[in-house]
Amino acid sequence: MGRRFNTAGPCLPAEHYMIPALSRLPEAPGLVDLKAYFVVHAPRQTGKTTALRALAQELTTQGRYAALHFSCEAARAAGDDFGAATLGILQWIKEAARWQLPSELRPPPWPEAPAAALLGTALGAWAEVCPRPLVLFVDEIDALRGESLVSVLAQLRDGYNKRPAPFPWSVVLCGLRDVRDYKAAAGGDVSRLGTSSPFNIKLKSLRLGDFTAGEVTDLYGQHTTDTGQRFAPGAVDHAYELTGGQPWLVNALAQEIVEEIGVPASEPITVEHLDQARERLILARATHLDSLAARLAEPRVRRIIGPLIAGDPLALDPYDDDLSYVRDLGLIAPDPPVRAANPIYREVIVRALSASVQESITADPRSFVRPEGGFDLPKVLSEFAEWWIENGEFLTSRGYYDEAAAQLILMGYLQRAVNGTGVVEREYAVGSGRVDLHLRWPYTARDGTTQVQREGIEIKAWRTGRSNPLQAGLRQLDHYLDRLRLPAGTLAIFDQRRGAPAIDERTALSTTTSPAGRTITILNG
């Protein structure tokens, strides 16, 4: 069987298309040479384990070090029982060494010691007899919690400080988050994550980045080389645009096309195939996307994602690490401005948060299809206005993502209306003051030709202490419609001021003319 795109577990060179792991952590070998204790962190499903395994193997093969990769994942069940966690870690070290290291580099029988010092004592005994400097890659370190994490980090720090007494030459901790959050995982004060870490000996934190555009081209090119299946002009660039280079998404899109949609190798993979695969992944709630969406309920995540969807400015206190935390999770881009990490995550976030709204909508999506096959947006807006009068106050009073509740509700209603036939693409960013929607509805016209109806919609909120956003919204919508090359559009304005008129008094549909002369439908809610 030939190689394939991998979306589950570490990549194996003989079985999977993959980017050379060592190229993704170019600084790591130099830090090992410096005897450094350092951190590698990255969101889930970005290739951390693949890269660490390859680096450990390379260091051992070169003959200078005894480098071992092992995981703490199974220690999650130990909780605060640091004695059980330590025994488990030592057992996993011994098992990993049996497969990764030649016999002369493997650890001796572990010595006896009190539970609170057993890990440090055992590692010191191994370092003392090992004929090469010992390097440990400790994967899934943030699987440890509470007292177990405190104990492990304290023993590593104590052994580091006692050098040149025998102890590992270099230790690399790898997990989902940067070291500053280990304090929280160990039971520290989450509100003061800027204070001293229980692992304050680390020299550096390395973030494993997403694939570059060139690496996506390389990965997909391996498939072409192996199978002869080409990517049509623009397809690889579109894959990079959709995924932002996120490794799991890059592989998942291609795997969906090749293995699930089943595009024959004799046919090229097109932009349309990628868009189809994107929608299928989102609708299927693939494990990676589902686990990502589950994070949205965390208060620290809500503090960032809520303003992001609403387009509001971020107001963060000094030493507030929530922004860095959400970046470490991979939900938002690693660099300013604050925005969703990629278009697929941008869609997953909104669909996950508006899913309950879609479940509560009883309107039949088929009623929004015109006789000639087009999408009846005026009818959707009219029925939404009636539904909003009945349900809006209740749905926006629940306190869950309240700053973006109205925007999420309208987006959920539209998503339900298009019902998988059409596509709603969204743009939102912190400080933008709006959400922009591009609705695309493909249909077969009566003459047999395929048509795509497109609509441009902007959503704004009228906040307490701010002026009516109508004029600013019309100007912004003109710019958006210029980009889409559309002659008309829709502007929805939700009055969220304290003391606003009753919902049945303010909810209405009207039309106006934009500064550029376009006819604009206004939805006030």
Side-chain angles (χ1 to χ4, degrees), residues 169-305:
W169 173 278
S170 179
V171 173
V172 185
L173 301 184
C174 183
L176 181 66
R177 298 164 296 184
D178 196 359
V179 71
R180 66 178 174 276
D181 268 359
Y182 293 175
K183 184 178 180 69
D189 183 357
V190 179
S191 68
R192 294 182 55 81
L193 290 179
T195 60
S196 178
S197 162
F199 192 68
N200 57 10
I201 55 174
K202 61 107 177 180
L203 179 64
K204 196 168 187 177
S205 290
L206 304 181
R207 190 182 195 277
L208 190 67
D210 294 324
F211 290 156
T212 65
E215 287 172 331
V216 175
T217 300
D218 183 1
L219 189 78
Y220 285 2
Q222 294 173 34
H223 174 72
T224 300
T225 299
D226 283 12
T227 67
Q229 185 169 38
R230 298 180 298 104
F231 286 78
V236 176
D237 290 341
H238 189 56
Y240 181 71
E241 178 186 354
L242 289 176
T243 65
Q246 203 285 336
W248 186 90
L249 291 176
V250 171
N251 279 278
L253 280 180
Q255 184 188 76
E256 187 74 18
I257 292 167
V258 173
E259 299 183 12
E260 301 301 326
I261 298 175
V263 177
S266 58
E267 297 181 15
I269 294 173
T270 66
V271 167
E272 290 72 24
H273 290 139
L274 288 162
D275 285 336
Q276 183 184 356
R278 161 192 174 273
E279 189 67 13
R280 286 167 60 99
L281 287 175
I282 293 171
L283 291 175
R285 295 290 291 267
T287 301
H288 169 71
L289 298 179
D290 218 20
S291 63
L292 199 73
R295 293 283 187 173
L296 298 172
E298 296 182 18
R300 296 178 68 186
V301 176
R302 286 168 56 186
R303 288 188 62 206
I304 305 302
I305 299 300

Side-chain angles (χ1 to χ4, degrees), residues 38 50 94 109 136 156 160 162 197 235 252 322 331 349 351 367 372 390 399 405 457 462:
F38 60 98
T50 297
K94 190 175 286 288
L136 299 179
L156 291 175
Y160 174 92
K162 288 179 179 178
S197 162
D322 289 351
L331 280 166
I349 289 169
R351 290 209 200 178
S367 68
E372 78 280 4
E390 294 293 325
I457 305 167
W462 188 355

Side-chain angles (χ1 to χ4, degrees), residues 441-453:
W441 178 268
Y443 66 99
T444 302
R446 288 173 176 170
D447 62 2
T449 61
T450 300
Q451 304 291 327
V452 179
Q453 177 183 342

